[in-house]
Every structure is written in structure tokens, then in C-alpha cells.
Amino acid sequence: MTKTKRILLIGNPNVGKSTIFSRLTGAKVIVSNYPGTTVEYYQGYFKLEDKEAIIIDAPGIYNLEPSSKAEEVAKELIDGADIIVNVMDATNLERNLYLTLQLLETNKPIVVVLNIWDETKHKGIEIDCQKMEEILKVPVVATSGISGEGIRKLAFRIWEAKTSSFVAEDKWKSIGFILQNVQKLYHKHHTLLEILGEVSIRPLTGFFIAAVVIFISFTLVRFIGENLISYIFDPFFNKLWLPLLVKIDSLLKGGGILHSILIGHLIGGEVDFVQSFGLLSTGLYVPLAMVLPYIIGFYLVLGFWEDFGYLPRLAVLMDNFMHRLGLHGYSIFPFILGLGCNVPGAMATRLLASRREKFITATLMAIAVPCMAQIAMIVGLLGKRGGQYVFLVFFILLLIFIIKGLILNKLMPGHSPEILMEVPPYRLPRWDVTLKKLWMRMSGFLKEALPLVLLGVIAVNLLYSLGIIKAIASLLSPFLVKIWGLPKESVAALIIGFLRKDVAVGMLGPLGLTTKQLIVGSVILAIYFPCIATFVVLTKELGWRDMLKSVIIMIFVTFSVGALLNLIL
Amino acid sequence: MEIDLTKLPPGHRGVIVRVEGGVGFIKKLEYMGIRQGKIVRKISSHFLRGPQTVRVDNFDVAIGFGMARKIFVKEV
């Protein structure tokens, strides 16, 4: 029996390796139009007729000299691979060829893929694949990963991969020679997208466009979230689910432990989805009817901008500002992803070069970037008291973000490296690709968050009925009540906040807080500690030493901000 | 006349004549396709010593101000 072959997809950043990977394997991976989407490598199975192989999707690299973590990882992956599929951006042959020539030297069987083939026509580029194959002495296949064009051909030709006898004494000279023989360039006028791309990266027009983009994004997320709630999720829960709960309630009449776990306690003799805190009431309503609609809105809008290619431009525009906080433009990726969920945000810190930058980004995100689940709950609870209060909470978080960044930048030794980043062209997103990504993120949320929410609800009930919360509450109450001005019962929310922030915010609901207390409570829950999932990932990314430092900062910030807000509001 | 990249006005084109700095830095730029002899077109220059964006071949790249000052071009 032969060993299953290992096929490695490798190439420059943002050439579409992950798109080809998911086309070949059918596996679901997140693809976007910006360099560095893939921070880890992914594996998938690929089957063609009777042949089977493992395909590995590596993070993008520019060369094989191990100067960064990504290149070291790539080198290891190459050593373990049986076939190398070198994915190139056909619109940037020259730059991509450097890596190709280095790969040819590894003496591994290679197939070269000219991806983004569909764009060569608009850009006035004509490439002779046949000729390129003759020169490089390895198979060359043209593909367009996004539309799927050429993928079938690639699937067959992967098996023709061979080691090349092409020798490049001086790589740039050889590249010049190859280009002269295979590529013809024609003059092309700028397309509308290209003009738009340039305008959105110039300072004056760029900031105006950024403001418009951000405004539209927030409006859209709100619009989608609110409409999903009032036309789909609320009617479902109120008209279909509630009668069922009422039946279960009457069956279990007389209360008991089962009643309090499944339904929770009745508010004014009725089941209240937000306040009852039973598994079947609040446990399902919070994640599905309060959080999920906003998650859908957020990831739909984010997915569109990711695929369109807007985010790197925002990174460039924000670069200057981020430098004052000890970061550079690239840090906006973890922050933006963190707004959806802090876990992928924490993973994206891997892209940042220095330990200092990673630390500042991670700490700022964990403290001042609330995730969509939390935002949805704050909007849901505080929004009823008035939109200006919701705005105030976000304004406070933004202030904390900026002040803390300024301080950390001063306190931490070293300085942040400068930006050096490729800015991809705008591409019109294909709705099937964007929707597929939305679906992946949505089902990811349901799979990962729903169990934790339910666990949180059970934990709340158990801790209450065992009297543990009461004990901790009376222990901490002098402190909570005096310094933060919160009722001592709110300690339960702080405890559950370790598990899920959305459940924790929800727990503030039944306490009958004043608006001021609700604001203080929301801010404290946002900043005091990351949820367990984020905590685990952050510890993995930062190491326990830096994580410990980060936690100390969080506790310090929480104490002082809580006290300050209690004083001034 | 040789000027550094930060002084090339937006919209203008220049050919890279040399890149100053350590070998690591020069190589890093080179691998990204920014090297001697390449023609670049300045797209934008952000104020307060912000990043400089240029078009090289068919791609755009944002370069920090300090780095851009080490890249010397001759306007064409």
C-alpha cells in the first residue's frame, strides 16, 4: 500500500491559496481579500477518481529564507510535502516568480498555478502558459479560484507534478528572461474599481470614505439585526415557543428544581424570556433571538468588506493613529474581527510581528473591544432606556481604548515597527462566496456559543440554589456597593461573565438597576476579564507570563474605571 | 535628481535607484517586488509622517514613513 500523498499549497500572501484549497477539498475555510487571512495551516482531503491525498493550505510567504515565523512554518511544511502546488497571482508574475524559483530549487515535484487568471484580461496582461511550462519544466495551470475556472484541470494535473531541471544562477535575471518570453503587457485604462481603490487610500478622500463606510456598516448591522428580531425571531419565540413553555410550566406546576432549571422563575406569574433564566426560556432566547440576529448582520457586512478588499485601506488610514497607541495599522484586523468575537480577534494577533505589539493589541482588545454577543445584549437592555446611553457606553470604551493605548505605549520598552503591507485591489464580492463565509461563522457561533450559554444558565441556577452566589455577594458587597455603586446581586453577573459575556449582561436585566448602574455594569462587564474561550486563546498566543501581566492590567483598569464612572455619572 | 520616496509627489512616477539600510530590510523589500530599477507611482502620502502608498507593477503597497525615506528614486 502506498502512503497517502501530501500536497502543499504555497505562495505569496493574498494570491488565493485558501480559495483553491476549499475548491479542491470542499473544506470550509475563511477566505478574504487581504494578506494574512490564513494564520494557521489547514489540512483537507482531496479525492480524484481512485487517488487520494491530503492537501495543506499554508500561510502566505514572499520567500523561503526563514526570517519570520510564517516562513519557518512554510519551510517545515515543504520538507514534509510530496507535491508542491505553487499558487501565483497571474497579475503579478514578476514578484511571485522569486518564490517559484526558490521552490524549484527544493527538488520537490511542483505544479505552478496561475491564479486570478480572470483579472489578467482587464489589466492588459497576456501570459503564454505553454511557453512558461516549457521554460520552468513543470506543469503550469491557469485558474480562477473564485469562479472555479480551471480547478478541474488542476485536479488532474496535480499528479503530473515533477521536479524541474531549470537552473537560475541569478534569480532576478532569470525572472527577466521568463517574463520576456511568456508575458505581454498592453496599456489599459484604469477601471472604476482601480480609481475607487486609489481614492480611498488618499488622506482627504480616504477619511471621508472611511467615515461613510463605517456609518453604513453600523446602520446596516443595526437594520439587519433589528429586522431579523422583530420579523422573524421575536414572532417565533412569542407565537410558537412561548405557548409550549406555558404548557411545560403548567405540567411542572409547583416549581421544583426541574422547573427552575428548564423554565426559570416566573416574572409576575409569566415566563419572561430575558429575566426567567431557565434553559428553555432565557437559555435559548438570548443566543438565538437577541445575539444571533446581530451576529448575522455583523458578519454579513464584515464579509462584504473583507471580500471587497476595503480593510487593508482602513489599516493604512489608521496607521498614524495606531502608532500613537504603540501599534501599527495592521492591528485593526484583530480589533475588527474582535468586534464579532474576541476569539478570532485573538488569533489574528499572530500576524503582528513583535511581542510588544501583540501584547498591546491583545490587552486592548480584551479590555475595550466588546464582542457582538455582548454588544447585542447591551443594545437590547440599555437601548430600552434610550439610544444615547448605549452610545455613552461605547464612547467610554473608546476612551479607555485610547487612554490605555497611550499609557501602554509609554510604559512598554521598544517602539512599534513600521507598516509594510500589500494593499490588494478591490474585487467585486461574489455573493455565494460571501454567504458561504457568513454561514460558516454563523454555525461556528451556534456550535461554540450555544453550549456555553446553556452551561452558563445552568451554572447560574446551581450557584443560586446552593447559596454560593449569596456568600460571595455578601463577601464582596461592601466593595461592589461602595466603589462601583452596584447592588450586591450583580456579583453573579461578574462570575458568569467568565463563561459568557452575553449571559452576564442579561443577568443585569432582572436586578432592576437604575440607568446609571446599568451603564456602569455594562462597561465593567465589558472590560473586567475576557470570557473563557478568549482567555484560553490569548494565553496560547501570548504565553502565560504576558497573559498574567495583561490580566493585572485588566483588573486595575476595571477597578479604577468602575469607581470613576460611579463618581462622575 | 535623486529624492527619497516621501518627497515624490502623489501621482508622479519614479525609478528606484537605491535602497539604504540593512541587508535584511533591503531583501525584505526586494522579495515584495520593490527593488532597484523598478518604476513606482506614488498613490498617496499620509500627513504627519504617515505611510506612503505606491503602485509597483500591478500591486499597491503601503510603506511606513521611515522606510520610505530609505528608498531613493529619480523622477521619470
Side-chain angles (χ1 to χ4, degrees):
Chain A
M1 219 187 96
T2 52
K3 169 176 156 281
T4 314
K5 286 224 154 68
R6 293 171 71 85
I7 299 173
L8 177 67
L9 293 174
I10 199 160
N12 283 184
N14 212 38
V15 295
K17 295 176 290 298
S18 298
T19 313
I20 290 186
F21 175 79
S22 67
R23 287 267 174 202
L24 286 175
T25 60
K28 298 182 173 75
V29 285
I30 299 273
V31 297
S32 305
N33 182 16
Y34 62 82
T37 307
T38 310
V39 285
E40 296 186 284
Y41 64 88
Y42 291 93
Q43 282 195 12
Y45 284 93
F46 161 62
K47 218 176 148 176
L48 183 82
E49 289 162 356
D50 58 332
K51 291 183 228 116
E52 216 184 27
I54 296 170
I55 297 202
I56 302 148
D57 177 22
I61 50 166
Y62 287 111
N63 69 86
L64 287 183
E65 274 147 55
S67 61
S68 79
K69 187 106 180 101
E71 283 132 22
E72 277 168 35
V73 171
K75 196 130 197 182
E76 262 170 50
L77 290 174
I78 290 171
D79 288 338
D82 300 301
I83 294 173
I84 288 176
V85 177
N86 174 211
V87 184
M88 297 174 82
D89 171 357
T91 65
N92 274 304
L93 267 197
E94 176 172 333
R95 210 252 331 265
N96 283 250
L97 272 168
Y98 197 91
L99 180 67
T100 305
L101 294 187
Q102 282 187 321
L103 288 170
L104 292 180
E105 285 173 355
T106 60
N107 281 322
K108 293 266 181 185
I110 289 180
V111 181
V112 167
V113 176
L114 297 175
N115 197 29
I116 320 187
W117 185 257
D118 50 325
E119 282 184 25
T120 53
K121 287 156 217 138
H122 322 295
K123 295 203 163 145
I125 301 165
E126 202 183 288
I127 300 166
D128 184 344
C129 282
Q130 199 65 43
K131 189 90 192 179
M132 194 156 157
E133 201 164 320
E134 281 165 30
I135 296 176
L136 293 178
K137 302 188 179 78
V138 294
V140 176
V141 188
T143 62
S144 168
I146 288 287
S147 69
E149 183 193 330
I151 297 293
R152 222 185 124 66
K153 200 167 164 196
L154 171 64
F156 281 97
R157 295 210 68 190
I158 280 181
W159 310 100
E160 296 169 22
K162 53 185 177 192
T163 53
S164 167
S165 53
F166 181 82
V167 193
E169 293 280 328
D170 176 327
K171 290 207 177 61
W172 289 118
K173 264 195 193 137
S174 301
I175 289 170
F177 168 78
I178 296 168
L179 289 176
Q180 231 170 32
N181 282 284
V182 308
Q183 183 177 261
K184 279 201 194 95
L185 299 177
Y186 301 95
H187 180 73
K188 276 275 166 157
H189 285 289
H190 283 319
T191 63
L192 189 65
L193 279 180
E194 276 175 323
I195 294 168
L196 197 60
E198 290 196 8
V199 171
S200 51
I201 209 166
R202 291 202 186 111
L204 289 176
T205 41
F207 280 109
F208 175 72
I209 292 172
V212 172
V213 164
I214 291 169
F215 177 76
I216 290 178
S217 303
F218 276 107
T219 313
L220 263 180
V221 173
R222 233 186 101 181
F223 177 80
I224 296 170
E226 281 172 4
N227 280 290
L228 283 176
I229 289 175
S230 46
Y231 292 108
I232 296 177
F233 291 98
D234 260 357
F236 171 81
F237 270 90
N238 287 328
K239 298 223 168 76
L240 293 171
W241 193 242
L242 192 62
L244 201 68
L245 283 189
V246 171
K247 272 213 183 91
I248 297 174
D249 174 51
S250 60
L251 276 178
L252 295 171
K253 252 314 177 247
I257 186 93
L258 198 61
H259 182 275
S260 72
I261 286 185
L262 289 182
I263 311 276
H265 38 268
L266 303 182
I267 308 288
E270 279 175 35
V271 178
D272 184 310
F273 280 127
V274 185
Q275 303 190 25
S276 285
F277 257 85
L279 270 187
L280 298 178
S281 54
T282 310
L284 291 180
Y285 186 79
V286 163
L288 296 181
M290 290 181 85
V291 174
L292 184 65
Y294 285 99
I295 296 265
I296 293 174
F298 177 79
Y299 281 129
L300 186 66
V301 173
L302 176 70
F304 175 84
W305 293 125
E306 279 180 337
D307 294 348
F308 187 55
Y310 182 68
L311 300 185
R313 287 167 175 84
L314 193 61
V316 174
L317 290 173
M318 295 300 288
D319 185 61
N320 226 320
F321 170 71
M322 293 302 233
H323 265 281
R324 325 262 152 201
L325 310 184
L327 300 170
H328 74 56
Y330 215 104
S331 299
I332 69 153
F333 291 99
F335 293 142
I336 292 175
L337 289 173
L339 275 176
C341 168
N342 278 359
V343 170
M347 283 168 71
T349 59
R350 202 173 298 174
L351 295 165
L352 304 170
S354 74
R355 188 176 149 203
R356 176 179 192 265
E357 223 178 333
K358 258 179 107 159
F359 179 81
I360 299 180
T361 306
T363 310
L364 284 184
M365 184 188 72
I367 292 183
V369 178
C371 66
M372 197 39 72
Q374 203 176 354
I375 295 173
M377 292 303 290
I378 293 176
V379 171
L381 278 184
L382 201 55
K384 286 188 198 125
R385 312 273 175 103
Q388 72 272 30
Y389 301 120
V390 177
F391 181 78
L392 183 63
V393 167
F394 292 122
F395 182 70
I396 294 168
L397 289 177
L398 182 68
L399 272 185
I400 297 172
F401 181 90
I402 294 172
I403 295 170
K404 255 209 55 211
L406 290 172
I407 295 174
L408 281 180
N409 187 31
K410 281 271 178 300
L411 289 185
M412 290 194 66
H415 54 88
S416 47
E418 284 195 286
I419 197 167
L420 180 63
M421 181 182 65
E422 211 181 315
V423 182
Y426 279 151
R427 298 190 167 117
L428 286 182
R430 282 175 53 112
W431 282 107
D432 52 337
V433 177
T434 307
L435 286 176
K436 191 178 137 198
K437 184 154 71 171
L438 170 67
W439 173 249
M440 281 161 56
R441 284 169 158 166
M442 223 174 80
S443 48
F445 166 77
L446 289 179
K447 268 184 243 152
E448 278 144 40
L450 198 56
L452 276 176
V453 170
L454 296 177
L455 192 67
V457 171
I458 295 180
V460 171
N461 284 308
L462 282 180
L463 290 175
Y464 263 118
S465 51
L466 293 175
I468 294 175
I469 286 185
K470 216 172 195 166
I472 301 177
S474 54
L475 200 71
L476 292 179
S477 74
F479 167 77
L480 268 177
V481 177
K482 278 204 186 102
I483 299 184
W484 289 345
L486 296 175
K488 64 178 185 177
E489 291 80 12
S490 59
V491 77
L494 287 175
I495 295 169
I496 293 306
F498 288 111
L499 214 51
R500 280 294 300 181
K501 296 275 183 118
D502 42 7
V503 182
V505 177
M507 289 177 69
L508 296 177
L511 297 180
L513 301 182
T514 63
T515 302
K516 173 186 159 179
Q517 284 174 322
L518 206 48
I519 294 173
V520 177
S522 300
V523 172
I524 285 178
L525 277 180
I527 62 180
Y528 84 115
F529 200 79
C531 69
I532 185 86
T534 309
F535 184 79
V536 170
V537 178
L538 275 182
T539 312
K540 220 167 80 189
E541 293 299 326
L542 295 179
W544 64 269
R545 232 178 246 270
D546 275 1
M547 193 60 211
L548 196 66
K549 275 190 227 163
S550 187
V551 167
I552 292 170
I553 295 173
M554 287 171 203
I555 293 173
F556 175 75
V557 172
T558 310
F559 274 80
S560 37
V561 169
L564 198 66
L565 288 180
N566 186 29
L567 278 180
I568 58 177
L569 283 181
Chain B
M1 198 184 63
E2 217 178 280
I3 47 172
D4 71 63
L5 195 53
T6 64
K7 301 208 172 66
L8 188 69
H12 288 230
R13 287 145 57 89
V15 58
I16 298 178
V17 286
R18 69 192 161 88
V19 179
E20 282 181 357
V23 184
F25 172 65
I26 295 172
K27 285 244 158 186
K28 197 166 147 188
L29 286 180
E30 198 177 299
Y31 296 139
M32 284 187 83
I34 302 159
R35 60 196 165 88
Q36 209 181 55
K38 297 294 312 183
I39 289 178
V40 299
R41 184 167 63 85
K42 182 85 154 271
I43 297 171
S44 68
S45 166
H46 289 264
F47 32 75
L48 296 171
R49 301 157 71 86
Q52 313 284 307
T53 49
V54 293
R55 155 76 48 107
V56 191
D57 293 333
N58 258 317
F59 63 92
D60 298 343
V61 61
I63 306 173
F65 191 85
M67 289 181 182
R69 279 227 287 211
K70 295 181 187 158
I71 302 170
F72 290 87
V73 296
K74 214 178 234 167
E75 214 178 314
V76 291

